[in-house]
Amino acid sequence: MRHRSGALLRKTAVIILWLLVWQLLSFLIGSELLLPSPWAVVQSFCRLAQTTEFYRSILHTLLRVAAGFAAGMSAGALAGALTAFSGAADVLLTPIKNIIKATPVTSFIVLILLYLSSDVAPSAVAFLAVLPICWSNVCEGLRQTDKKMTELAHVYAFGRKKTIREIYFPTVRPYLSAAATTGLGFAWKSCVAAEVIALSKNSVGRALYESKLYLETAELFAWTASVVLISVLFEKILVHKLLKNKNTEGAAELQYKFDAYDEHGRDEE
């Protein structure tokens, strides 16, 4: 409890420090148009929170991000498994992953808008942003799985489903969690960027563009703050709760057998 309280106090102190720096810079610049004060942003945020447009835009952007993120994680996990277990798939598919990683998000946005509507394009861009991250992490996690554990699982007739659930998944889970944490941030940023360029209806990206267009700087900061807050909230709920590491009974059982088997081998030596 003391450790948690101390960590919370340090985080609070850091936040207050940077808010004071922000306030000082705003005061020195002396123009709300260039850099609004924290209080001005809070007031603007409160005004936005009283409108239905704010919640409608947040909801539509959230759905686009969720669709792209879920599709990217699913396809990335599948591609990662294929390239981890198949040399032919690795040779054939890895160049596609490298091309996706190297292509700027803006290029994807412009290209996708040639084929998809402005409402669908942001989800597709989020999908492409998440895909290579999950792909690389899952592939690496599967390759790091202890071969002796999989061999022993075969000896004890775990079966394919149980081996995947009790051996591969616990090993891949930290890599998957890292991919989800990183990918969620990229999904938000790429999706909102696509909405800005595509001017998607009922979207945070369109609201950001219009705030900039009409020189509503405090509102621009307020919309940006809302995106950051929602992204952090989703990271805490979706990633850390659903993908939290837990030891499974099967894994513990097999680890015990593996230790006994390994000890027996050393005794024979």
Side-chain angles (χ1 to χ4, degrees):
M1 289 296 293
R2 288 182 179 178
H3 178 72
R4 290 182 179 179
S5 299
L8 181 61
L9 286 174
R10 285 194 296 271
K11 289 180 180 179
T12 304
V14 170
I15 292 172
I16 292 174
L17 172 63
W18 284 112
L19 287 174
L20 291 174
V21 172
W22 179 3
Q23 178 63 50
L24 178 61
L25 289 175
S26 177
F27 175 76
L28 292 175
I29 292 173
S31 173
E32 291 287 328
L33 182 63
L34 296 177
L35 183 62
S37 65
W39 179 242
V41 174
V42 170
Q43 287 180 312
S44 181
F45 183 86
C46 292
R47 285 195 298 271
L48 288 173
Q50 297 175 12
T51 64
T52 56
E53 179 189 356
F54 176 78
Y55 298 101
R56 188 185 301 117
S57 299
I58 291 291
L59 177 60
H60 281 79
T61 296
L62 183 60
L63 291 174
R64 293 186 183 106
V65 172
F69 176 77
M73 290 294 293
S74 301
L78 178 60
L82 285 174
T83 53
F85 293 120
S86 172
D90 188 26
V91 172
L92 183 65
L93 298 177
T94 297
I96 298 176
K97 178 184 69 176
N98 295 333
I99 290 172
I100 295 174
K101 288 172 63 177
T103 304
V105 174
T106 307
S107 298
F108 273 132
I109 297 171
V110 175
L111 289 171
I112 290 173
L113 282 172
L114 292 175
Y115 310 102
L116 300 177
S117 68
S118 60
D119 291 331
V120 179
S123 294
V125 174
F127 163 79
L128 291 174
V130 175
L131 175 63
I133 297 172
C134 183
W135 184 340
S136 298
N137 280 38
V138 169
C139 182
E140 182 62 23
L142 289 172
R143 288 174 176 173
Q144 293 298 322
T145 303
D146 193 336
K147 301 301 180 184
K148 292 182 179 180
M149 294 287 282
T150 58
E151 291 172 3
L152 200 61
H154 177 71
V155 170
Y156 282 94
F158 263 37
R160 181 176 297 179
K161 289 184 178 180
K162 190 173 182 180
T163 300
I164 292 173
R165 185 178 68 251
E166 309 294 357
I167 304 301
Y168 286 111
F169 188 66
T171 304
V172 173
R173 186 187 285 115
Y175 294 87
L176 193 62
S177 180
T181 303
T182 306
L184 190 59
F186 274 90
W188 270 102
K189 289 186 285 188
S190 58
C191 183
V192 173
E195 289 176 342
V196 171
I197 295 176
L199 294 178
S200 306
K201 295 179 181 178
N202 299 319
S203 68
V204 173
R206 189 185 186 104
L208 286 168
Y209 177 80
E210 290 178 350
S211 298
K212 177 258 181 188
L213 184 65
Y214 297 113
L215 301 178
E216 296 286 348
T217 312
E219 188 173 304
L220 179 63
F221 273 68
W223 278 108
T224 304
S226 68
V227 172
V228 173
L229 290 173
I230 295 173
S231 178
V232 171
L233 181 63
F234 258 68
E235 180 183 322
K236 295 294 183 182
I237 295 175
L238 182 64
V239 178
H240 294 293
K241 296 298 182 183
L242 298 184
L243 296 175
K244 187 178 180 181
N245 284 326
K246 293 181 180 178
N247 293 326
T248 59
E249 183 179 348
E253 172 194 350
L254 189 60
Q255 183 63 51
Y256 173 78
K257 291 178 179 179
F258 173 74
D259 291 340
Y261 177 82
D262 194 42
E263 185 67 29
H264 178 68
R266 285 199 298 269
D267 290 342
E268 288 185 347
E269 291 178 359

